[in-house]
Amino acid sequence: MKITIEGADEAFAEKLVALAAAHRAELTVTTVNTGWTADRAERYLRALTAGARRFAEMVVVDGNGHIDADRLRSTIGKLNGPTVALSRTIPRGVREGWWPEGISAPISPVWDPDNPSWHKNIAYQMDGENVPVFRDAFARLGVAPAPVSWGSDDVPSAFDPPPGWGARDGVPRVMFDDPGQEPG
């Protein structure tokens, strides 16, 4: 007899094994961990396209596990490409043996409850227990673990100086010419 148990809690699995043993069945019990680990999360992030990795970074690092879809769209643009890459990486990882079958997608959409038939995604989220695991994976990849919070009207521009380079940050700008002389 072969019994495969996926997604059940340990208490249920133990009761099922005890029931089978009571009927003199020969059992081999194999436990498959379908949870996310830092190694699996890092492998997942490395397999993503750059846009999908940025998407995941915004959900995990910037949003601490939950971010509005409009905020993602304002930074990334259309979300079709990144969301497809996120979803296709799961079955690819199963085929490649990176993680077991039955592992859940780490990021899931949140639909508008007021308009369930349209299924417009209003946000994206990650389960709370996976957020620290993916934060660790991003840290391994060299992504800063602390989110940068921008006000609603303080969205960074590609033309803004990087933090620490402008007077707005409390750091004086480097002057190459003597301010008392005319540029020459």
Side-chain angles (χ1 to χ4, degrees), residues 3-60:
I3 300 172
T4 303
I5 304 170
E6 290 181 11
D9 64 349
E10 277 188 52
F12 175 78
E14 288 173 8
K15 289 177 185 177
L16 186 59
V17 168
L19 177 64
H23 291 280
R24 295 189 175 107
E26 292 181 27
L27 297 175
T28 301
V29 179
T30 305
T31 305
V32 177
N33 177 2
T34 57
W36 285 98
T37 64
D39 290 336
R40 289 176 182 171
E42 183 180 357
R43 183 67 187 105
Y44 177 81
L45 295 172
R46 287 184 186 279
L48 294 174
T49 61
R53 192 175 312 113
R54 177 65 182 128
F55 183 107
E57 179 186 350
M58 288 184 71
V59 172
V60 175

Short mmCIF file of all heavy atoms in Angstrom, two decimals, residues 3-60:
data_model
loop_
_atom_site.label_atom_id
_atom_site.label_comp_id
_atom_site.label_asym_id
_atom_site.label_seq_id
_atom_site.Cartn_x
_atom_site.Cartn_y
_atom_site.Cartn_z
N ILE A 3 0.67 5.39 0.38
CA ILE A 3 -0.16 6.53 0.71
C ILE A 3 0.71 7.77 0.63
O ILE A 3 1.77 7.83 1.22
CB ILE A 3 -0.74 6.41 2.14
CG1 ILE A 3 -1.60 5.15 2.26
CG2 ILE A 3 -1.54 7.65 2.50
CD1 ILE A 3 -2.05 4.87 3.68
N THR A 4 0.24 8.76 -0.12
CA THR A 4 0.93 10.03 -0.23
C THR A 4 0.04 11.09 0.40
O THR A 4 -1.12 11.22 0.02
CB THR A 4 1.21 10.40 -1.69
OG1 THR A 4 1.97 9.35 -2.29
CG2 THR A 4 1.98 11.71 -1.79
N ILE A 5 0.59 11.82 1.35
CA ILE A 5 -0.16 12.86 2.04
C ILE A 5 0.53 14.18 1.77
O ILE A 5 1.69 14.35 2.12
CB ILE A 5 -0.24 12.60 3.55
CG1 ILE A 5 -0.85 11.23 3.83
CG2 ILE A 5 -1.04 13.70 4.24
CD1 ILE A 5 -0.72 10.80 5.27
N GLU A 6 -0.18 15.11 1.15
CA GLU A 6 0.36 16.44 0.90
C GLU A 6 -0.60 17.46 1.45
O GLU A 6 -1.81 17.35 1.28
CB GLU A 6 0.54 16.68 -0.60
CG GLU A 6 1.65 15.88 -1.22
CD GLU A 6 1.80 16.17 -2.71
OE1 GLU A 6 1.18 17.13 -3.20
OE2 GLU A 6 2.54 15.43 -3.36
N GLY A 7 -0.07 18.45 2.12
CA GLY A 7 -0.88 19.57 2.58
C GLY A 7 -1.68 19.30 3.83
O GLY A 7 -2.51 20.13 4.21
N ALA A 8 -1.51 18.17 4.48
CA ALA A 8 -2.24 17.87 5.71
C ALA A 8 -1.36 18.19 6.91
O ALA A 8 -0.14 18.17 6.82
CB ALA A 8 -2.64 16.40 5.73
N ASP A 9 -2.00 18.47 8.03
CA ASP A 9 -1.21 18.72 9.23
C ASP A 9 -0.68 17.41 9.80
O ASP A 9 -1.13 16.33 9.43
CB ASP A 9 -2.01 19.50 10.28
CG ASP A 9 -3.21 18.73 10.81
OD1 ASP A 9 -3.58 17.69 10.24
OD2 ASP A 9 -3.79 19.18 11.82
N GLU A 10 0.30 17.50 10.68
CA GLU A 10 0.96 16.30 11.20
C GLU A 10 0.03 15.41 11.98
O GLU A 10 0.13 14.18 11.91
CB GLU A 10 2.16 16.71 12.08
CG GLU A 10 3.40 17.00 11.30
CD GLU A 10 4.59 17.21 12.21
OE1 GLU A 10 4.85 16.33 13.07
OE2 GLU A 10 5.24 18.24 12.06
N ALA A 11 -0.90 15.99 12.74
CA ALA A 11 -1.82 15.19 13.55
C ALA A 11 -2.67 14.28 12.66
O ALA A 11 -2.86 13.09 12.97
CB ALA A 11 -2.70 16.09 14.40
N PHE A 12 -3.16 14.81 11.55
CA PHE A 12 -3.97 14.00 10.63
C PHE A 12 -3.12 12.89 10.02
O PHE A 12 -3.56 11.75 9.92
CB PHE A 12 -4.55 14.89 9.53
CG PHE A 12 -5.28 14.09 8.47
CD1 PHE A 12 -6.56 13.62 8.70
CD2 PHE A 12 -4.68 13.80 7.26
CE1 PHE A 12 -7.23 12.89 7.74
CE2 PHE A 12 -5.33 13.07 6.29
CZ PHE A 12 -6.63 12.61 6.53
N ALA A 13 -1.91 13.22 9.61
CA ALA A 13 -1.02 12.22 9.00
C ALA A 13 -0.73 11.10 9.99
O ALA A 13 -0.73 9.92 9.62
CB ALA A 13 0.26 12.87 8.52
N GLU A 14 -0.49 11.44 11.25
CA GLU A 14 -0.21 10.42 12.26
C GLU A 14 -1.41 9.51 12.47
O GLU A 14 -1.26 8.29 12.61
CB GLU A 14 0.20 11.08 13.58
CG GLU A 14 1.58 11.70 13.53
CD GLU A 14 1.91 12.51 14.78
OE1 GLU A 14 1.12 12.45 15.76
OE2 GLU A 14 2.95 13.18 14.76
N LYS A 15 -2.62 10.08 12.50
CA LYS A 15 -3.84 9.27 12.67
C LYS A 15 -4.03 8.33 11.48
O LYS A 15 -4.40 7.17 11.64
CB LYS A 15 -5.06 10.17 12.83
CG LYS A 15 -5.12 10.88 14.15
CD LYS A 15 -6.33 11.80 14.21
CE LYS A 15 -6.32 12.62 15.49
NZ LYS A 15 -7.45 13.57 15.53
N LEU A 16 -3.74 8.82 10.29
CA LEU A 16 -3.89 7.99 9.10
C LEU A 16 -2.88 6.84 9.10
O LEU A 16 -3.21 5.70 8.77
CB LEU A 16 -3.74 8.84 7.83
CG LEU A 16 -4.02 8.14 6.51
CD1 LEU A 16 -5.44 7.60 6.47
CD2 LEU A 16 -3.80 9.09 5.36
N VAL A 17 -1.66 7.12 9.50
CA VAL A 17 -0.63 6.09 9.58
C VAL A 17 -1.02 5.05 10.64
O VAL A 17 -0.88 3.84 10.42
CB VAL A 17 0.75 6.71 9.88
CG1 VAL A 17 1.77 5.64 10.25
CG2 VAL A 17 1.23 7.51 8.67
N ALA A 18 -1.54 5.49 11.78
CA ALA A 18 -1.96 4.57 12.84
C ALA A 18 -3.10 3.68 12.36
O ALA A 18 -3.14 2.47 12.65
CB ALA A 18 -2.37 5.34 14.08
N LEU A 19 -4.04 4.25 11.60
CA LEU A 19 -5.16 3.47 11.06
C LEU A 19 -4.66 2.41 10.09
O LEU A 19 -5.07 1.25 10.15
CB LEU A 19 -6.15 4.40 10.36
CG LEU A 19 -7.34 3.73 9.68
CD1 LEU A 19 -8.23 3.03 10.71
CD2 LEU A 19 -8.13 4.74 8.88
N ALA A 20 -3.75 2.78 9.21
CA ALA A 20 -3.21 1.82 8.25
C ALA A 20 -2.42 0.73 8.97
O ALA A 20 -2.49 -0.45 8.61
CB ALA A 20 -2.33 2.53 7.22
N ALA A 21 -1.67 1.10 10.01
CA ALA A 21 -0.89 0.12 10.77
C ALA A 21 -1.80 -0.85 11.51
O ALA A 21 -1.48 -2.03 11.66
CB ALA A 21 0.02 0.84 11.75
N ALA A 22 -2.96 -0.37 11.94
CA ALA A 22 -3.91 -1.24 12.63
C ALA A 22 -4.45 -2.32 11.70
O ALA A 22 -4.89 -3.38 12.16
CB ALA A 22 -5.06 -0.41 13.19
N HIS A 23 -4.40 -2.09 10.42
CA HIS A 23 -4.87 -3.07 9.43
C HIS A 23 -3.69 -3.86 8.84
O HIS A 23 -3.80 -4.41 7.74
CB HIS A 23 -5.67 -2.37 8.33
CG HIS A 23 -6.97 -1.84 8.83
ND1 HIS A 23 -8.07 -2.64 8.98
CD2 HIS A 23 -7.34 -0.60 9.24
CE1 HIS A 23 -9.07 -1.91 9.46
NE2 HIS A 23 -8.63 -0.66 9.61
N ARG A 24 -2.59 -3.89 9.56
CA ARG A 24 -1.38 -4.64 9.20
C ARG A 24 -0.81 -4.27 7.83
O ARG A 24 -0.32 -5.11 7.10
CB ARG A 24 -1.66 -6.14 9.28
CG ARG A 24 -1.96 -6.60 10.68
CD ARG A 24 -2.02 -8.11 10.74
NE ARG A 24 -2.19 -8.51 12.10
CZ ARG A 24 -3.34 -9.00 12.57
NH1 ARG A 24 -4.38 -9.15 11.79
NH2 ARG A 24 -3.42 -9.35 13.84
N ALA A 25 -0.91 -3.02 7.50
CA ALA A 25 -0.33 -2.55 6.25
C ALA A 25 1.14 -2.23 6.47
O ALA A 25 1.53 -1.75 7.52
CB ALA A 25 -1.07 -1.32 5.74
N GLU A 26 1.96 -2.54 5.49
CA GLU A 26 3.36 -2.16 5.55
C GLU A 26 3.47 -0.74 4.97
O GLU A 26 3.06 -0.51 3.84
CB GLU A 26 4.22 -3.13 4.74
CG GLU A 26 4.27 -4.51 5.33
CD GLU A 26 5.15 -5.44 4.51
OE1 GLU A 26 6.07 -4.94 3.83
OE2 GLU A 26 4.90 -6.64 4.55
N LEU A 27 4.02 0.12 5.75
CA LEU A 27 4.04 1.53 5.36
C LEU A 27 5.45 2.08 5.29
O LEU A 27 6.31 1.71 6.08
CB LEU A 27 3.27 2.38 6.37
CG LEU A 27 1.78 2.09 6.51
CD1 LEU A 27 1.22 2.95 7.63
CD2 LEU A 27 1.07 2.41 5.22
N THR A 28 5.62 2.95 4.37
CA THR A 28 6.80 3.79 4.31
C THR A 28 6.29 5.22 4.32
O THR A 28 5.51 5.61 3.45
CB THR A 28 7.61 3.53 3.02
OG1 THR A 28 7.98 2.16 3.00
CG2 THR A 28 8.84 4.40 2.98
N VAL A 29 6.67 5.97 5.30
CA VAL A 29 6.19 7.34 5.43
C VAL A 29 7.27 8.29 4.95
O VAL A 29 8.40 8.26 5.43
CB VAL A 29 5.82 7.65 6.90
CG1 VAL A 29 5.34 9.08 7.02
CG2 VAL A 29 4.76 6.68 7.39
N THR A 30 6.91 9.10 3.99
CA THR A 30 7.82 10.11 3.47
C THR A 30 7.15 11.46 3.64
O THR A 30 6.02 11.66 3.19
CB THR A 30 8.11 9.88 1.97
OG1 THR A 30 8.61 8.56 1.82
CG2 THR A 30 9.12 10.88 1.46
N THR A 31 7.82 12.36 4.30
CA THR A 31 7.28 13.69 4.50
C THR A 31 7.94 14.63 3.50
O THR A 31 9.16 14.65 3.36
CB THR A 31 7.58 14.18 5.93
OG1 THR A 31 7.09 13.23 6.85
CG2 THR A 31 6.92 15.51 6.19
N VAL A 32 7.12 15.38 2.80
CA VAL A 32 7.62 16.34 1.82
C VAL A 32 7.28 17.74 2.34
O VAL A 32 6.12 18.06 2.57
CB VAL A 32 6.98 16.11 0.43
CG1 VAL A 32 7.45 17.17 -0.55
CG2 VAL A 32 7.30 14.73 -0.07
N ASN A 33 8.30 18.55 2.53
CA ASN A 33 8.10 19.91 2.98
C ASN A 33 7.81 20.78 1.75
O ASN A 33 8.69 20.97 0.91
CB ASN A 33 9.34 20.41 3.71
CG ASN A 33 9.23 21.85 4.15
OD1 ASN A 33 8.22 22.51 3.95
ND2 ASN A 33 10.29 22.35 4.75
N THR A 34 6.60 21.28 1.67
CA THR A 34 6.23 22.12 0.53
C THR A 34 6.26 23.60 0.90
O THR A 34 5.71 24.42 0.18
CB THR A 34 4.83 21.75 0.00
OG1 THR A 34 3.89 21.88 1.07
CG2 THR A 34 4.82 20.35 -0.57
N GLY A 35 6.92 23.92 2.00
CA GLY A 35 7.04 25.33 2.40
C GLY A 35 8.24 25.99 1.75
O GLY A 35 9.13 25.34 1.22
N TRP A 36 8.24 27.30 1.83
CA TRP A 36 9.34 28.08 1.27
C TRP A 36 10.47 28.18 2.28
O TRP A 36 10.25 28.46 3.45
CB TRP A 36 8.87 29.47 0.86
CG TRP A 36 8.08 29.44 -0.40
CD1 TRP A 36 6.72 29.43 -0.52
CD2 TRP A 36 8.61 29.37 -1.72
NE1 TRP A 36 6.37 29.36 -1.84
CE2 TRP A 36 7.50 29.32 -2.61
CE3 TRP A 36 9.89 29.34 -2.25
CZ2 TRP A 36 7.67 29.25 -3.99
CZ3 TRP A 36 10.05 29.26 -3.63
CH2 TRP A 36 8.94 29.23 -4.47
N THR A 37 11.67 27.93 1.82
CA THR A 37 12.88 28.13 2.62
C THR A 37 13.68 29.25 1.98
O THR A 37 13.41 29.64 0.83
CB THR A 37 13.74 26.85 2.65
OG1 THR A 37 14.19 26.57 1.31
CG2 THR A 37 12.96 25.65 3.20
N ALA A 38 14.68 29.74 2.68
CA ALA A 38 15.50 30.82 2.11
C ALA A 38 16.21 30.36 0.84
O ALA A 38 16.32 31.11 -0.13
CB ALA A 38 16.51 31.31 3.14
N ASP A 39 16.67 29.10 0.81
CA ASP A 39 17.34 28.58 -0.39
C ASP A 39 16.36 28.51 -1.57
O ASP A 39 16.71 28.89 -2.69
CB ASP A 39 17.93 27.20 -0.14
CG ASP A 39 19.13 27.25 0.81
OD1 ASP A 39 19.77 28.32 0.90
OD2 ASP A 39 19.41 26.23 1.46
N ARG A 40 15.16 28.00 -1.30
CA ARG A 40 14.16 27.92 -2.38
C ARG A 40 13.76 29.32 -2.84
O ARG A 40 13.61 29.55 -4.05
CB ARG A 40 12.92 27.17 -1.89
CG ARG A 40 13.13 25.69 -1.71
CD ARG A 40 11.91 25.04 -1.13
NE ARG A 40 12.13 23.61 -0.92
CZ ARG A 40 11.29 22.84 -0.26
NH1 ARG A 40 10.18 23.31 0.25
NH2 ARG A 40 11.57 21.55 -0.12
N ALA A 41 13.59 30.23 -1.91
CA ALA A 41 13.20 31.60 -2.26
C ALA A 41 14.29 32.27 -3.10
O ALA A 41 13.99 32.94 -4.09
CB ALA A 41 12.91 32.41 -1.00
N GLU A 42 15.54 32.07 -2.71
CA GLU A 42 16.63 32.65 -3.48
C GLU A 42 16.66 32.07 -4.89
O GLU A 42 16.84 32.80 -5.87
CB GLU A 42 17.97 32.41 -2.78
CG GLU A 42 19.13 33.05 -3.49
CD GLU A 42 20.47 32.81 -2.81
OE1 GLU A 42 20.51 32.19 -1.73
OE2 GLU A 42 21.48 33.26 -3.37
N ARG A 43 16.48 30.77 -5.01
CA ARG A 43 16.46 30.12 -6.33
C ARG A 43 15.31 30.65 -7.18
O ARG A 43 15.45 30.89 -8.37
CB ARG A 43 16.36 28.59 -6.16
CG ARG A 43 16.41 27.84 -7.46
CD ARG A 43 17.82 28.02 -8.06
NE ARG A 43 17.91 27.48 -9.37
CZ ARG A 43 17.94 28.21 -10.51
NH1 ARG A 43 17.90 29.51 -10.46
NH2 ARG A 43 18.04 27.64 -11.67
N TYR A 44 14.15 30.82 -6.55
CA TYR A 44 12.97 31.38 -7.22
C TYR A 44 13.28 32.78 -7.74
O TYR A 44 13.02 33.08 -8.92
CB TYR A 44 11.80 31.41 -6.24
CG TYR A 44 10.53 32.02 -6.76
CD1 TYR A 44 9.67 31.29 -7.57
CD2 TYR A 44 10.18 33.32 -6.44
CE1 TYR A 44 8.49 31.84 -8.05
CE2 TYR A 44 9.00 33.88 -6.91
CZ TYR A 44 8.16 33.14 -7.71
OH TYR A 44 7.00 33.70 -8.17
N LEU A 45 13.85 33.63 -6.89
CA LEU A 45 14.14 35.00 -7.29
C LEU A 45 15.18 35.06 -8.40
O LEU A 45 15.08 35.88 -9.32
CB LEU A 45 14.61 35.81 -6.08
CG LEU A 45 13.56 36.02 -4.99
CD1 LEU A 45 14.19 36.66 -3.76
CD2 LEU A 45 12.38 36.82 -5.49
N ARG A 46 16.18 34.19 -8.36
CA ARG A 46 17.20 34.16 -9.41
C ARG A 46 16.61 33.71 -10.76
O ARG A 46 17.11 34.10 -11.81
CB ARG A 46 18.35 33.25 -9.02
CG ARG A 46 19.24 33.80 -7.95
CD ARG A 46 20.42 32.87 -7.69
NE ARG A 46 21.22 33.31 -6.57
CZ ARG A 46 22.14 34.26 -6.62
NH1 ARG A 46 22.37 34.87 -7.76
NH2 ARG A 46 22.82 34.61 -5.55
N ALA A 47 15.56 32.90 -10.72
CA ALA A 47 14.96 32.39 -11.95
C ALA A 47 14.01 33.39 -12.61
O ALA A 47 13.61 33.20 -13.75
CB ALA A 47 14.21 31.08 -11.65
N LEU A 48 13.66 34.44 -11.90
CA LEU A 48 12.72 35.43 -12.42
C LEU A 48 13.40 36.39 -13.39
O LEU A 48 14.61 36.61 -13.32
CB LEU A 48 12.11 36.24 -11.27
CG LEU A 48 11.21 35.50 -10.30
CD1 LEU A 48 10.83 36.44 -9.14
CD2 LEU A 48 9.98 34.96 -10.99
N THR A 49 12.60 36.97 -14.26
CA THR A 49 13.09 38.06 -15.10
C THR A 49 13.33 39.28 -14.20
O THR A 49 12.86 39.34 -13.07
CB THR A 49 12.05 38.43 -16.17
OG1 THR A 49 10.85 38.88 -15.51
CG2 THR A 49 11.74 37.26 -17.09
N ALA A 50 14.05 40.27 -14.70
CA ALA A 50 14.36 41.45 -13.90
C ALA A 50 13.08 42.17 -13.47
O ALA A 50 12.96 42.59 -12.32
CB ALA A 50 15.26 42.40 -14.69
N GLY A 51 12.12 42.28 -14.37
CA GLY A 51 10.86 42.95 -14.03
C GLY A 51 10.07 42.19 -12.97
O GLY A 51 9.50 42.79 -12.06
N ALA A 52 10.03 40.88 -13.08
CA ALA A 52 9.32 40.06 -12.09
C ALA A 52 10.05 40.10 -10.75
O ALA A 52 9.41 40.11 -9.69
CB ALA A 52 9.19 38.63 -12.59
N ARG A 53 11.38 40.13 -10.77
CA ARG A 53 12.13 40.23 -9.52
C ARG A 53 11.86 41.56 -8.84
O ARG A 53 11.70 41.64 -7.63
CB ARG A 53 13.63 40.04 -9.77
CG ARG A 53 14.42 39.84 -8.50
CD ARG A 53 15.90 39.54 -8.74
NE ARG A 53 16.11 38.51 -9.73
CZ ARG A 53 16.68 38.72 -10.93
NH1 ARG A 53 17.12 39.91 -11.26
NH2 ARG A 53 16.83 37.73 -11.79
N ARG A 54 11.79 42.64 -9.63
CA ARG A 54 11.47 43.96 -9.06
C ARG A 54 10.05 43.94 -8.48
O ARG A 54 9.80 44.51 -7.42
CB ARG A 54 11.62 45.05 -10.13
CG ARG A 54 11.24 46.43 -9.64
CD ARG A 54 12.19 46.93 -8.55
NE ARG A 54 11.74 48.23 -8.09
CZ ARG A 54 11.53 48.55 -6.81
NH1 ARG A 54 11.76 47.66 -5.86
NH2 ARG A 54 11.11 49.74 -6.48
N PHE A 55 9.12 43.31 -9.17
CA PHE A 55 7.75 43.15 -8.70
C PHE A 55 7.76 42.47 -7.33
O PHE A 55 7.16 42.96 -6.37
CB PHE A 55 6.98 42.31 -9.73
CG PHE A 55 5.53 42.09 -9.45
CD1 PHE A 55 4.57 42.73 -10.21
CD2 PHE A 55 5.10 41.21 -8.47
CE1 PHE A 55 3.22 42.52 -9.98
CE2 PHE A 55 3.76 40.98 -8.24
CZ PHE A 55 2.82 41.64 -8.99
N ALA A 56 8.45 41.34 -7.23
CA ALA A 56 8.53 40.59 -5.97
C ALA A 56 9.20 41.43 -4.89
O ALA A 56 8.77 41.43 -3.73
CB ALA A 56 9.29 39.28 -6.17
N GLU A 57 10.23 42.17 -5.26
CA GLU A 57 10.92 43.03 -4.29
C GLU A 57 9.97 44.08 -3.74
O GLU A 57 9.97 44.36 -2.53
CB GLU A 57 12.12 43.70 -4.97
CG GLU A 57 12.88 44.64 -4.07
CD GLU A 57 13.96 45.40 -4.81
OE1 GLU A 57 14.27 45.08 -5.98
OE2 GLU A 57 14.51 46.35 -4.21
N MET A 58 9.15 44.66 -4.59
CA MET A 58 8.21 45.67 -4.13
C MET A 58 7.18 45.06 -3.18
O MET A 58 6.81 45.69 -2.18
CB MET A 58 7.52 46.35 -5.32
CG MET A 58 8.44 47.28 -6.07
SD MET A 58 7.61 48.18 -7.39
CE MET A 58 6.59 49.31 -6.44
N VAL A 59 6.71 43.85 -3.46
CA VAL A 59 5.75 43.20 -2.57
C VAL A 59 6.39 42.90 -1.22
O VAL A 59 5.83 43.19 -0.17
CB VAL A 59 5.18 41.91 -3.20
CG1 VAL A 59 4.33 41.14 -2.20
CG2 VAL A 59 4.37 42.22 -4.45
N VAL A 60 7.59 42.34 -1.25
CA VAL A 60 8.24 41.87 -0.02
C VAL A 60 8.91 43.00 0.74
O VAL A 60 8.66 43.20 1.93
CB VAL A 60 9.28 40.77 -0.33
CG1 VAL A 60 10.04 40.37 0.90
CG2 VAL A 60 8.59 39.57 -0.95
#
